[in-house]
Structure formats: structure tokens, C-alpha cells
Amino acid sequence: MSRSQPRESIVNIHSSRRVQNAAGTHWLNKTTLGIGLTSLLSDWSHEIATSVLPALMASFGLGAGWLGAIEGVADGLSSITKLISGHWSDRLKSRKPLVVTAYALTAAATGLIGLATSGTEILLARSAAWLARGVRSPAKKALLAAAVPKEAYGRAFGLERMMDTLGAIAAPLTAIWLLHLTSHNYRQVLLWTLIPGLAAAASFGLLVHEPEGEKKPTKTLVAGLRGLPWNFRWLLGAAGIFGLGDFSHTLLILYATQKLTPAYGRAAAASIAIGLYLLYNLFYAGSAYLSGWLSDFVRQRKFVLAGGYFVAVTMAVLLATGLPQKTVLAAVFVTAGIFTGVVEALEDSLTAVIVPRLQHGMAYGTLAAVNSVGDFCSSILVGGIWSFVSASAAFAVTGILFLAATLLIFGLDETP
């Protein structure tokens, strides 16, 4: 180092190195734990609501058509909101107040479903909850990426996904307990969701630290989309193709129920299918963290994501065989849980790697929108082929899409 270099610059360099070393050593910091706890509590809240929502609607005399419309409208609004929110969160001086407010609104709107007296009111409350959910998602992920060094992205995003799924595992069990406690009063159960929901907002507000503000981009939404790196667009292409085959996993419950009914009867088959879905969530939670951890120690993260995509191919092959044995169905739910955890953790961590930090909100919003559109289209595609041709044909098509995405992801350049 030159003697003529200013003393202040030398101090700044050493200070920067100390910060980087500290971040690398302490990736499991208060912010990552706070975001993980927030995800757990929030998912716990709205999954309790999801568990009892069909029963509440049945008590109003509303059937599957209403439920499908409510979920479809809510998911559609959420996907649009994620894209817009991602763009605007990059321009905000501070993202944290936006996220805390959105979590509080999600909790309040979910609890308000308990006061609804018609399908229209349920639709409005659920849509408001999912709109707020869409607002917070890109900003939350951007804050998580800012809280850890590059070499720990996999573990950080894997932990967040694992914690989120633990909330989903706890929710049905809590719903059963609350139904017993309230003598099957669905309204009271929904009001109880306010406790974990508001606790999620408090957790984020108290534990998450936002770095000092940086210069924010002033691009329009269209310019922001055009300014995303070309290799991130490649990732979007692979994720989009994969998403076209990644149907709603509630269809797996239906598939298992249909396959098991001839041997066990409808009631027993439905119970076994729910047990298989619990197995799915357990492997989802475990694979999210383990795959994220692994991705931090391999030369290129894309190989771990490709592995997750290929596990989905395996699931599709098992489904296409149409075998009704419980062991085969268990393997289907296990592989579904594994690839879901891998894909969600790795797509998020790869995004943090290849997209500049100032564009993280835009990138996460765009990725979420692509995945949401894929979820919507895939369920229609699989449901249509299943209804008009056969279940085996539907799953064969998903397998082809999964394989195409697997091959495409190998061409991803991870250079930032």
C-alpha cells in the first residue's frame, strides 16, 4: 500500500473488511432470525384460516365454485401487487415500515373473515389479506438479502423457507385444537388468527434491522423491468417453464384420495391423504434449509437448483405410472416436498447473487409474478388434461416441462 494513500482511506478499508468478516461469521443474526420468526407466525395465522375457510363457507351454503373464485381472485391480485411493490420498494428510503404495515394489514384482514356474513365479504377480506401479502414479499426478501453476505444467501433463504413451512405444519394442528376449544365455532377460530398474525408484524418491527439507506433508482416500472440483468431473465425463463408444470399440490391430496378410496373407503382415504400432506410439509421444511446450506458450499448454486428440478421430474414419473400403493404415494409426497423446498430457497438465493442489490425489490417482485402466473396456468393445464384425457397424461406433460427447465438451468451464468 502506498505511503501517500490517505489515512482515512486506510481506516475505511479496514473498517469495511471488519464489517464483511463479521457478516460472514454471523449470518444467523437478529435480522435473519427475525424474518424467519415473522414468516413462521404469519404462515401459522393464515394457514389456520385456510384450514377452516371451506367449513365456514359450507355453513353459508357456498360450494367449491365460490372457494375457487375467492382463491383465484386473491392469488391473481397478489401476483400483480408483488410486481408493482417490488418496483416501488427499490425507490423507498426505508422498506421496513412498508413490510410491518403490510403484515399488520394481512393479520387484520384475515381476522375479519371471522366477521363475514356472505361470500362477497369473505372475498373482499381474503383479497385484502393477499394484497397486503403481495406488498410485503419483495421488500422482505430484499431486506433478507441485505442482512447476510453473498456466501450465506442459501442458508438465509433456506432458513426463512423452513420457518415458513413450520408455521404451515403447526397451523392445521392448531386449527383442530381451536375447533375443539370453541365447539367448532369457525368465526372464533378465525378471530384467534389475529394473535400470531399481529405477532408477526411485531416480530419484524422489533427484530429486523435495515441497513443505512443507499441511493435509490428512479426508473419507471417498464424501465426497471428492462434494466434487469440478462442472466436473471434466463433464470426467469427456466422458472417460468418449471412453473407451468408445478401445479397446486392440493391436487396431490385429491389424487391420493382417489387412488386410495377403492381399497380403504372415502373417509379413510381422505385421512391418509392429509397425513401424506403433513409428510410433504416436513420434507419441504427440511429440504429448504439443507439445500440452501449445500448451495453455499458448492461451486455454482445452479447445480443444486437443477437437482431440485430433476426431483420434480421423478415425482411426475411416479404420478404418471398411476400406481395406487401407499408406498408409491408416499414417495410422491416426499419428492414433492423436497423439490418445493429446494426450488423456493435456490431461486431466491440465486436472484440475490446475480441481481445488483439496488434492483433486488424489482427482481423479487418479477420472480414472484412469474411464479404466480405459472401456478395459475399449471393448475388449469393439469386440471384440463386430467379431466379430458387422463391423470397420467397430465402428469406426463408436467414431467416434460420439468425436464425442459432442468436442462435450461444448466445454461445459467451466475456472474453478477
Side-chain angles (χ1 to χ4, degrees), residues 51 61 73 86 114 127 145-146 196 219 262 319 333 364:
S51 298
V73 170
S127 297
K219 297 178 180 178
L319 286 167
F333 279 82
Y364 283 119

Side-chain angles (χ1 to χ4, degrees), residues 302-358:
K302 67 181 180 183
F303 295 126
V304 182
L305 179 56
Y309 282 178
F310 190 75
V311 172
V313 176
T314 305
M315 180 204 70
V317 171
L318 290 172
L319 286 167
T321 62
L323 296 175
Q325 289 90 342
K326 282 194 293 185
T327 51
V328 174
L329 291 172
V332 165
F333 279 82
V334 166
T335 51
I338 290 172
F339 87 72
T340 303
V342 173
V343 169
E344 292 195 358
L346 267 294
E347 286 183 352
D348 282 348
S349 58
L350 270 169
T351 296
V353 169
I354 62 182
V355 177
R357 178 182 291 187
L358 292 179

Side-chain angles (χ1 to χ4, degrees), residues 63 94 137 146 160 175 185 192 264 269 288 295 303 318 416:
S94 176
S137 180
E160 189 273 332
N185 187 318
W192 273 95
Y264 298 95
S295 72
F303 295 126
L318 290 172

Side-chain angles (χ1 to χ4, degrees), residues 166-183:
L166 290 176
I169 293 170
L173 301 175
T174 306
I176 292 171
W177 173 71
L178 287 172
L179 285 169
H180 176 74
L181 183 69
T182 63
S183 300

Side-chain angles (χ1 to χ4, degrees), residues 93-158:
K93 183 177 180 181
S94 176
R95 292 184 172 105
K96 185 175 172 180
L98 174 70
V99 179
V100 172
T101 302
Y103 269 109
L105 289 175
T106 300
T110 300
L112 281 174
I113 297 174
L115 303 179
T117 58
S118 67
T120 301
E121 291 177 359
I122 294 175
L123 172 63
L124 291 173
R126 186 74 160 179
S127 297
W130 256 231
L131 276 171
R133 195 179 179 196
V135 167
R136 78 193 190 211
S137 180
K140 178 186 74 173
K141 291 180 179 180
L143 287 171
L144 180 57
V148 296
K150 177 181 177 180
E151 59 270 19
Y153 281 154
R155 281 165 285 177
F157 282 100

Side-chain angles (χ1 to χ4, degrees), residues 11-98:
V11 172
N12 288 339
I13 289 171
H14 288 308
S15 175
S16 175
R17 286 175 181 168
R18 284 196 299 271
V19 170
Q20 290 172 0
N21 290 336
T25 304
H26 303 295
W27 73 268
L28 191 61
N29 51 49
K30 193 165 78 168
T31 294
T32 54
L33 288 173
I35 290 176
L37 180 60
T38 299
S39 293
L40 187 154
L41 290 168
S42 182
D43 213 59
W44 195 353
S45 172
H46 70 71
E47 287 294 339
I48 292 173
T50 299
S51 298
V52 302
L53 185 58
L56 175 68
M57 295 183 64
S59 70
F60 292 166
L62 304 174
W66 260 103
L67 181 59
I70 288 171
E71 296 297 88
V73 170
D75 285 339
L77 289 172
S78 178
S79 64
I80 295 171
T81 307
K82 286 175 182 176
L83 180 61
I84 298 171
S85 171
H87 166 66
W88 279 104
S89 75
D90 282 339
R91 305 174 65 157
L92 294 174
K93 183 177 180 181
S94 176
R95 292 184 172 105
K96 185 175 172 180
L98 174 70

